[in-house]
Amino acid sequence: MSEVNEESESIGMPAPTAWPMVSAAGVALAAVGIATNPFISVAGVMVLMVAIGGWLRELTPGRGEIEETWVPVDQRAREVVASSRRVAQPRAGLPGNRSHFPERVHTYASGVVGGLLGGGVMAGTAMLYGVVSGRGIWYPINMLAGIVLTRFDDVSKLELERFSVTAFIIASLLHLTASALVGLFFEIVLPTLPKSPVFWGGVVAPLMWTGVVYASIGILNPLMSEHIVWSWFIASQFAYGLTMGIYVVNAKKVPASHIEGASTADGRDHESQS
Amino acid sequence: MAIAEPTIESPAPPLVTRLHGWVTTVDHKRIGLMYLMMSLFFLVLGGLEVIWIRMQLWSANNTLVEADTFNQLFTMHGTTMIFFVVMPMIAGFANYLIPLMIGARDVAFPRLNAFGFWMSLFGGMILYLSYFTGEALYGAGSAPDVGWFAYAPLTSPAYSRGSSVDYWILATLVSGVGTLTFAINLIATIVSMRAPGMAIGKLPLFVWMMLVDAWLIVFAFPPFTAAQVMLLMDRHLGAHFFDTQAGGSAILWQHLFWFFGHPEVYIMALPAFGIISEVVPVFSRKVIFGHTTLAMSTTAIGFISMGVWAHHMFTVGLNDGLDAFFSAASFLIAVPTGIKIFNWTATLYGGRLRLHTPMLFALGFLSMFLIGGLTGVMLAAVPVDWQVSDSYFLVAHFHYVLFGGSLFALMAGLYYWYPKATGRMLDETWGKWHFWLQLIGFNLTFAPMHISGLMGMPRRVYTYQAGQGWEIWNQISTVGGFVMGAGFAVMFVNLLWSLQRGRIAGDDPWDAWTLEWATSSPPASYNFETIPIVRSRRPLWDKKHPEDPDWIHE
């Protein structure tokens, strides 16, 4: 591209050329010939060769560029000037123009760690059920793995009570990932919720989650739907929610800018309608 | 400030001269507009096909079209909408806007850029040429009827006589090369032609997302091209890559196809995310919330999207380990996508919202894409996928993602940047009619498909028996299809009417902040008289508010 010369009346720009279109037409003809008649392909290749030659000539020095004259001054863009609109001052409870909402947040790490801790307590609760019910600690783990392991769909209860390396790995991955992500999600949405976060994390979320699972478990995990004991399921959800909620709420808060990587607003809001 | 109507100083050149100007152009803006016009043309064709589909499914045992014709209709509809509507529309926006947004006079390879457009257009023409061919290789000529995914061994000469499959292969092959050249040009342009001061971290989000998008194209399209060449060799040279009768593998085609096909979903979604990231802050009068996390989550989506292709193949019978890996990866991709939704919502929060048509479409995108994303998370669970795969539930899901997502966002972009490209505003009243017709029609069309899918209606069936409870849902869908059609008709009228009679837009009708609004509407061929110098992510804000520029905060 040419250098800009403010003194000149024009600027060098690429010249219009038909060769790209002719080249594409050559390729298209060559392609169509495959489905119709080889002679069309031959013609297409010949067109393509001619077009490539023409295209290459466009690239030689002194060709392929034209001088575009500057458009008249009255058709040019107007100079961007300072706006008459004021940048509105902040109002209580509303975020500023470039502020982060909220100003102070829990770290992502606290959400993940809280989620993992909650997941640990939840797993303990589920395994306690396995012990109390006499089915063993691997029973809930195998049922969780049934989300992925389709071979568990038609095994006996006895097999579900046995240890399986694959099921253990898959269930652990699922459980740890879900626990960490739910904790992270909770940490992110926590500032947007009304007061009493432990209530949200420890009571509302487990009830909602249990409702969702109750409604969809038949499709999501047919194996679990047959064997699930809802009282224990809800207990393990509460164990997760309370542990994670308490941990996250008590974790140290940092300015949102530490996470976002930019400074928080100094109190300026969006533009007012002036 | 009132803006005077431009005065006509000289008569317009003859039509042939003007057409010649378009055919030979290497101006990225004109090429962008040609991509958009091509996209809208094929949108009409794809829309007509789907209207036929919906009319056929209106009632049980309907005989409006035969089974073979129905197969052709859904194949052509899918292929058209993906390769010749959404992709060209994305290429159109990117071509037109990116040099303007980064303060460049042109693209890196203007001729290659033009070549890419013509390849895409000729690809579309090859596809539709199939309707007009008669006798061909095996004595039959018709439109492709193997689905937009063209699974082997259905595509082998034994099962697909004639040249219909060849037309599908050649059309997508040719347009794919065009898409690849577009992506290479885009990467080179963004990397090497930014205005002084515009570091990578200061790129407008649309540009950043298009950069990731272009890389996805570069990684995803070549394997698909290779697969198509292999299929051509199977069909014409006696090779057996996918011929199960001779030691080939039909599953190999699925792997190669979906290795392209799933990134392709994100190739279509990321530009939509970019458009939303430009529209939402301007119409909320606020800075985008979490620029960095939006950019990083885009990169994360780019990486993860390359590793989820086999979730389209859960019902193939891969082993549990593979299913588990791809299931987990599919769940994982919801995280960066969720971060984006959160960021856009946080941008809206506390903003001074201006509900003009672009913003309405952006809000429509947010809600529809969220629904599509949630059903996507459901489908990432293998047992759920086993239950509803190849049912209308899946059809509903991907339409909520690709139509409710991509196309709603692209409509937002159309209404947002039309003034820049034409110098005139689109009519707001018609725009709102378009939005509401499209939103209502869309939900009427696709929401019932969740239900009919869960009730067991398989996709791709040309008719069904009465008494299965599917009729009412299909009828609602068909009505919705017509409502949507009316919405698009309003859009076309608006586009054409406003071109001549729309309100004069001026340089910056939305009071926006990125560089494209610093040029005239429409811009001169060289874009900028003076190359702008950039100090922040919102260069126009800095000029409009020297008392509070962004660069002191970034």
Side-chain angles (χ1 to χ4, degrees):
Chain A
M1 194 184 77
S2 296
E3 287 296 307
V4 185
N5 183 354
E6 295 291 346
E7 303 297 312
S8 70
E9 294 180 355
S10 62
I11 179 170
M13 295 294 287
T17 172
W19 294 123
M21 190 273 279
V22 179
S23 301
V27 174
L29 278 174
V32 168
I34 295 172
T36 53
N37 189 313
F39 287 109
I40 295 177
S41 290
V42 173
V45 170
M46 288 167 67
V47 169
L48 180 61
M49 292 300 165
V50 172
I52 289 172
W55 193 332
L56 289 172
R57 275 198 303 279
E58 294 280 335
L59 303 179
T60 54
R63 299 178 65 112
E65 203 174 78
I66 54 165
E67 288 295 314
E68 290 270 7
T69 52
W70 300 108
V71 296
V73 174
D74 63 336
Q75 289 177 30
R76 294 182 194 175
R78 285 167 174 73
E79 187 66 32
V80 180
V81 294
S83 173
S84 57
R85 289 181 173 183
R86 290 176 300 107
V87 179
Q89 293 307 303
R91 286 165 291 158
L94 280 181
N97 175 31
R98 62 175 69 78
S99 69
H100 299 270
F101 175 76
E103 204 160 317
R104 295 180 68 77
V105 292
H106 299 288
T107 59
Y108 293 145
S110 68
V112 173
V113 173
L116 291 173
L117 280 175
V121 176
M122 184 184 187
T125 310
M127 286 154 86
L128 180 65
Y129 153 73
V131 173
V132 170
S133 65
R135 287 168 176 164
I137 59 170
W138 306 118
Y139 185 75
I141 292 169
N142 289 337
M143 283 209 296
L144 177 60
I147 289 179
V148 172
L149 292 176
T150 47
R151 66 183 166 87
F152 273 12
D153 285 357
D154 45 16
V155 297
S156 65
K157 270 194 183 181
L158 197 63
E159 275 187 84
L160 281 173
E161 292 166 9
R162 289 187 190 140
F163 175 73
S164 157
V165 177
T166 313
F168 179 75
I169 291 169
I170 285 172
S172 300
L173 283 173
L174 279 175
H175 187 63
L176 290 172
T177 307
S179 299
L181 289 179
V182 172
L184 183 63
F185 178 77
F186 180 76
E187 176 272 320
I188 290 170
V189 300
L190 185 62
T192 67
L193 300 173
K195 289 200 174 0
S196 190
V198 175
F199 168 75
W200 287 100
V203 180
V204 176
L207 285 175
M208 282 178 65
W209 182 245
T210 303
V212 169
V213 173
Y214 184 77
S216 60
I217 192 73
I219 297 174
L220 193 68
N221 190 343
L223 171 76
M224 197 186 269
S225 70
E226 285 176 31
H227 304 293
I228 199 163
V229 179
W230 287 103
S231 55
W232 279 93
F233 182 84
I234 294 173
S236 63
Q237 296 296 329
F238 274 100
Y240 175 86
L242 285 167
T243 309
M244 182 267 293
I246 290 167
Y247 179 86
V248 172
V249 168
N250 289 311
K252 191 178 158 196
K253 284 186 174 182
V254 297
S257 57
H258 287 202
I259 290 178
E260 176 49 34
S263 59
T264 51
D266 49 0
R268 289 193 171 89
D269 205 340
H270 42 63
E271 290 172 316
S272 63
Q273 305 273 359
S274 53
Chain B
M1 188 180 75
I3 298 164
E5 289 269 354
T7 52
I8 300 170
E9 293 175 356
S10 57
L15 179 64
V16 175
T17 309
R18 276 182 287 161
L19 283 176
H20 183 264
W22 282 93
V23 168
T24 59
T25 188
V26 290
D27 179 354
H28 68 90
K29 296 181 292 298
R30 279 190 155 196
I31 289 168
L33 291 174
M34 288 197 294
Y35 265 120
L36 290 169
M37 287 187 277
M38 169 192 164
S39 168
L40 293 172
F41 171 75
F42 281 104
L43 178 68
V44 173
L45 296 181
L48 289 172
E49 283 151 3
V50 84
I51 287 293
W52 276 102
I53 290 172
R54 290 303 339 152
M55 287 199 302
Q56 165 64 17
L57 294 173
W58 170 261
S59 59
N61 299 312
N62 201 355
T63 54
L64 182 69
V65 296
E66 294 299 319
D68 289 349
T69 309
F70 190 86
N71 290 349
Q72 291 171 0
L73 284 171
F74 73 69
T75 300
M76 293 294 276
H77 170 71
T79 308
T80 301
M81 296 308 282
I82 286 171
F83 291 101
F84 303 112
V85 175
V86 177
M87 290 299 288
M89 204 176 280
I90 288 164
F93 278 114
N95 257 302
Y96 196 97
L97 294 166
I98 282 176
L100 293 170
M101 288 175 119
I102 63 173
R105 290 195 193 283
D106 203 350
V107 291
F109 306 119
R111 298 173 192 86
L112 188 72
N113 194 28
F115 174 76
F117 163 74
W118 291 109
M119 288 289 279
S120 295
L121 180 63
F122 289 143
M125 288 165 71
I126 290 171
L127 184 70
Y128 278 84
L129 184 66
S130 63
Y131 270 123
F132 302 100
T133 55
E135 292 280 308
L137 193 64
Y138 301 103
S142 61
D145 57 356
V146 289
W148 85 275
F149 36 79
Y151 277 174
L154 185 59
T155 49
S156 66
Y159 299 107
S160 286
R161 298 183 63 75
S163 55
S164 61
V165 173
D166 295 320
Y167 282 105
W168 179 88
I169 296 167
L170 297 165
T172 51
L173 191 66
V174 168
S175 73
V177 173
T179 304
L180 204 52
T181 58
F182 152 76
I184 290 163
N185 177 53
L186 202 65
I187 293 167
T189 302
I190 296 170
V191 168
S192 65
M193 298 182 72
R194 300 189 305 276
M198 187 176 275
I200 283 285
K202 289 186 170 60
L203 280 178
L205 280 166
F206 176 71
V207 179
W208 173 259
M209 292 186 194
M210 279 309 309
L211 179 62
V212 175
D213 199 63
W215 278 113
L216 272 180
I217 290 170
V218 167
F219 285 117
F221 267 77
F224 180 48
T225 304
Q228 289 170 309
V229 172
M230 288 155 77
L231 185 56
L232 273 178
M233 290 167 78
D234 270 13
R235 288 179 60 82
H236 293 276
L237 301 178
H240 303 295
F241 291 109
F242 311 118
D243 183 357
T244 50
Q245 302 290 308
S249 169
I251 304 301
L252 175 62
W253 170 266
Q254 288 200 33
H255 277 298
L256 289 169
F257 180 83
W258 288 117
F259 188 77
F260 145 83
H262 196 82
E264 171 70 2
V265 173
Y266 283 94
I267 287 165
M268 290 187 280
L270 288 183
F273 297 165
I275 290 169
I276 297 303
S277 302
E278 297 298 330
V279 169
V280 165
V282 166
F283 289 90
S284 303
R285 310 311 300 154
K286 279 177 67 194
V287 184
I288 188 83
F289 181 93
H291 186 287
T292 311
T293 48
L294 269 166
M296 290 303 102
S297 62
T298 304
T299 314
I301 285 172
F303 277 110
I304 301 168
S305 74
M306 298 297 294
V308 296
W309 77 88
H311 74 206
H312 295 271
M313 301 164 62
F314 283 154
T315 50
V316 161
L318 306 173
N319 68 49
D320 283 343
L322 274 176
D323 280 352
F325 172 81
F326 285 103
S327 175
S330 305
F331 279 118
L332 190 64
I333 206 162
V335 176
T337 312
I339 288 170
K340 281 180 155 47
I341 297 274
F342 179 77
N343 282 359
W344 294 320
T345 311
T347 306
L348 291 167
Y349 178 78
R352 195 183 299 281
L353 305 190
R354 299 185 301 178
L355 294 177
H356 294 291
T357 309
M359 183 63 154
L360 291 177
F361 274 103
L363 295 174
F365 161 90
L366 280 173
S367 46
M368 297 304 101
F369 185 78
L370 183 62
I371 294 168
L374 291 173
T375 52
V377 172
M378 289 169 70
L379 287 162
V382 182
V384 177
D385 190 86
W386 278 32
Q387 291 291 324
V388 299
S389 184
D390 278 350
S391 79
Y392 261 82
F393 186 90
L394 196 73
V395 177
H397 157 69
F398 71 69
H399 278 93
Y400 265 89
V401 171
L402 291 178
F403 192 145
S406 295
L407 212 53
F408 266 76
L410 289 164
M411 290 299 119
L414 197 65
Y415 279 85
Y416 182 56
W417 282 299
Y418 183 93
K420 176 52 58 183
T422 64
R424 291 181 183 268
M425 303 294 286
L426 280 164
D427 185 83
E428 267 296 307
T429 307
W430 282 353
K432 287 185 167 73
W433 270 99
H434 171 204
F435 169 73
W436 288 111
L437 284 169
Q438 188 172 308
L439 185 76
I440 292 164
F442 172 81
N443 282 291
L444 277 177
T445 305
F446 297 110
M449 291 183 187
H450 291 111
I451 300 164
S452 57
L454 289 174
M455 290 172 79
M457 183 172 173
R459 64 195 289 202
R460 307 183 204 119
V461 289
Y462 86 102
T463 191
Y464 50 90
Q465 298 300 311
Q468 300 188 88
W470 301 345
E471 218 154 348
I472 181 65
W473 305 116
N474 278 292
Q475 286 169 352
I476 294 169
S477 287
T478 302
V479 170
F482 279 99
V483 174
M484 260 196 299
F488 280 114
V490 170
M491 178 196 78
F492 278 108
V493 170
N494 196 1
L495 289 174
L496 295 171
W497 186 89
S498 300
L499 201 57
Q500 296 296 325
R501 305 192 176 187
R503 190 161 50 83
I504 301 293
D507 301 339
D508 183 16
W510 307 117
D511 192 10
W513 304 309
T514 37
L515 284 178
E516 75 272 26
W517 304 105
T519 65
S520 54
S521 302
S525 59
Y526 47 79
N527 295 346
F528 300 92
E529 277 80 29
T530 309
I531 296 294
I533 294 171
V534 174
R535 295 188 70 180
S536 79
R537 292 168 185 158
R538 297 194 300 168
L540 263 67
W541 171 277
D542 296 347
K543 286 192 170 187
K544 291 173 182 176
H545 296 281
E547 79 285 5
D548 180 32
D550 271 3
W551 51 263
I552 61 172
H553 298 277
E554 288 177 0

